[in-house]
Amino acid sequence: MRTKAKTVIVLFIPLLVLALLALFAITSGTKFISPFAIFKGELSTVDYIIITKIRIPRILISILCGALLGGTGAVFQGFFRNPLADSGIIGISSGATFGAVVSGLIPLGTFALVSQISLFAFSGALLSAFFVYLISKIFRERSSVTLLLSGTAIGTFFSAVTSIIILSHEKDLHSYFAWTCGSFNAKGWNELLVFVIPSCVALVMLELSAKHLDVLVCGEQSAKAFGLNYNFVRNWILIAGSLASACAVCEGGIISFVGLIAPHIVRKLYGPKHKVLIFESMIYGAGLMLASDTLARTVIAPSEIPVGIITSLIGVPFFLFALVKMNGGKK
């Protein structure tokens, strides 16, 4: 009983750290706001507006985006059985960006609860995911290397086409160019309300993938022998990952490496069981994203660094370390 309680405490400590990071983010920025003034309710009108209209929705959006990317990374790494897989590295984020930019050229309005940009980003992410899976399936014998290379190629292709569209429609899509660097600047409650429902659906779908991924660890053929409906699991994971990636891209643009870093850290701390791995990857991804965004908007305040640049600066050496370690393990 004591061991179980200790396990619960260890699992939920990251949530406490995330809450403290959120408090720090609320107080930090171009204008410092004392946490004591917040707790005592002694905020000026300006400070109250800054907190409620600007910082809180931005913090919530960054937390959701980080959770989506962290959870997607954990699921894709388990599904492809490749520690380098995430939505950015295997090209899904680029596909979602392509779809979102294309939506700017087609004035169709909104679709039910999902905005046009979200629908097109989802379609682009799903298309990219399909191509990556198809190539990895064809070259199954070297799927680990092929996945990385094919994902990079497909992501580069979608990025190139996206750049061509933006440059050829510079006046109409100028704002998209900065968006491709990754940023939560000027995000408010309206964006969050559109974003929160599909995000929560994606997070639930990712977490529900855990029991299937635990079976897939032993390989596709063995999983089928245990009675796993592989085609259903494949479609479920691709849809969940594409929806999660689309939501993250719609709100923050291209933000790389969060889905790579968070699962690696969690796997070292908590082990490979996917029920814990996916949940904690969401929490660690949210914390990493929130910390990166807070740094992005404070380090050169009042100017701002795109958060995608911060995560890339952190993620590139981490990626190289993981790649070297993986290759060393093969030797």
Side-chain angles (χ1 to χ4, degrees), residues 81-95:
R81 298 188 296 281
N82 187 315
L84 299 179
D86 82 335
S87 60
I89 291 173
I90 65 174
I92 292 181
S93 292
S94 296

Side-chain angles (χ1 to χ4, degrees), residues 97-158:
T97 303
F98 166 75
V101 170
V102 169
S103 74
L105 303 176
I106 306 174
L108 296 178
T110 58
F111 301 86
L113 296 176
V114 182
S115 66
Q116 176 180 319
I117 190 172
S118 298
L119 183 64
F120 275 72
F122 172 69
S123 301
L126 189 60
L127 182 65
S128 180
F130 173 76
F131 283 140
V132 171
Y133 175 78
L134 186 63
I135 294 174
S136 67
K137 194 70 173 161
I138 293 172
F139 299 96
R140 186 189 305 177
E141 293 182 0
R142 287 190 271 177
S143 60
S144 194
V145 175
T146 303
L147 174 64
L148 179 60
L149 296 178
S150 63
T152 301
I154 289 171
T156 302
F157 171 78
F158 277 117

Side-chain angles (χ1 to χ4, degrees), residues 151-167:
T152 301
I154 289 171
T156 302
F157 171 78
F158 277 117
S159 295
V161 175
T162 300
S163 298
I164 291 172
I165 295 174
I166 291 175
L167 291 173

Side-chain angles (χ1 to χ4, degrees), residues 209-220:
S209 305
K211 61 180 181 180
H212 303 304
L213 292 173
D214 285 334
V215 178
L216 273 173
V217 169
C218 58
E220 179 181 335

Side-chain angles (χ1 to χ4, degrees), residues 3 7 9 17 19 21 28 51 55 72 79 98 111 122 129 140 143-144 157 193 222 257 270 279 328:
T3 303
T7 302
I9 292 173
V17 175
L21 281 173
S28 303
I51 290 176
R55 291 185 183 174
T72 302
F79 177 68
F98 166 75
F111 301 86
F122 172 69
R140 186 189 305 177
S143 60
S144 194
F157 171 78
L193 291 175
S222 299
F257 295 109
Y270 300 98
F279 176 77

Side-chain angles (χ1 to χ4, degrees), residues 66-87 206-207 209-210 213-214 217 237 241 257-267 271-285:
L68 289 165
L69 293 175
T72 302
V75 169
F76 280 162
Q77 287 172 23
F79 177 68
F80 289 107
R81 298 188 296 281
N82 187 315
L84 299 179
D86 82 335
S87 60
L206 290 173
E207 184 61 35
S209 305
L213 292 173
D214 285 334
V217 169
I237 288 175
F257 295 109
V258 173
L260 175 68
I261 297 173
H264 271 267
I265 295 174
V266 172
R267 196 175 288 107
K273 191 173 182 180
H274 282 91
K275 184 176 181 180
V276 175
L277 176 62
I278 295 172
F279 176 77
E280 290 295 335
S281 292
M282 293 176 183
I283 303 302
Y284 277 72

Side-chain angles (χ1 to χ4, degrees), residues 52-64:
T52 58
K53 301 292 185 181
I54 300 175
R55 291 185 183 174
I56 289 180
R58 177 166 178 163
I59 288 168
L60 293 176
I61 289 173
S62 66
I63 287 174
L64 270 174

